[in-house]
Amino acid sequence: MLQRMLGAKGPATSALGLGCMGMSDMYGPSDRAESIATLHAAVDAGVVLLDTGDFYGMGHNEMLIGDALADAGFTRAHKRDDVQISVKFGAQRDPAGNWIGFDARPSAVKTALSYTLRRLRVDHIDIYRPARLDPNVPIEDTVGAIADMVKAGYVRHIGLSEVGSDTLRRAAVVHPIIDLQIEYSLISRGLERDILPTCRELGIGITAYGVLSRGLISGHWTKDKGKGADFRAHSPRFQGENLDHNLALVEELRRVAAEKGATVAQIAIAWVLAQGQDIVPLIGARRRDRLAESLGALDVILTADDLAAIERAVPKDSAAGDRYNAHAMASLDSER
């Protein structure tokens, strides 16, 4: 497995990480046994970085990862420190799963961490980060509370998620920030304008989620799939004429992929990998076959001509629809 650094002051990690949300939430039913088998297969393949959130399935995802790491098949071959666990916190949900706010007060930070450690059955978290900026709490207070947990040994490193340049600068004064988790794909390139240059100036790495735009540019999505009950049914890019337009972009990308002897998903992931050694794509595979396909992106070497062909197929800002609904977009510090 190729390695990359998580920022100037962070650890080495695998060139691809595994985003685990879909094993518990947001994408419809999942198979527990297959999820655990996929987690094991990822680590066996050298995927070090496992990304989760305490609100994914209201704790289910952390408990699932905890079970996978405690499984006898895992412990015979691996140690706890063979993986890096990245956890997001702060999103508040009611028993029905509705989103009801955000809490990143210092006391909430430490409370959330204590529950996370118990659910995962570990004694430390490798990277701890607020999932969003809490508009009611200065970022200095949130980062300061996590820094306390670093000093106490419960957290190794601090990251952020979906914040803008000003917030990054203020946070970095309090404690080194090793990475920013933010959506980045061929059709979500907003961070290139300002946030990515700021991260590079400050020595902050990027862990890129949504590299397949929630399956939209995976090459596997069809209009019929949009009739399902998961959250994509309400996503602007998956609706009506927007979906028709975006799937047409995918077909253009498919032609480029065919010329390279790769799948659409592999080309899309390889494009993100090619944007810099400071970027680690998170792949959201829930099954071993999808994991194997995604890992194949590491073998796809894109030349300058390939990158130009991809740009022609999917020009910057060519996607139809925002990446979240209007309410969610308004809450993103990274979109201000």
Side-chain angles (χ1 to χ4, degrees), residues 218-240:
S218 67
H220 301 296
W221 192 263
T222 64
K223 289 189 69 172
D224 288 341
K225 286 188 177 182
K227 298 175 182 177
D230 71 45
F231 85 107
R232 288 171 289 197
H234 308 287
S235 174
R237 289 180 175 172
F238 287 82
Q239 295 179 3

Side-chain angles (χ1 to χ4, degrees), residues 167-183:
T167 301
L168 285 166
R169 294 184 188 281
R170 289 167 53 197
V173 171
V174 178
H175 190 277
I177 306 299
I178 67 163
D179 72 322
L180 172 68
Q181 191 172 118
I182 191 167
E183 186 168 353

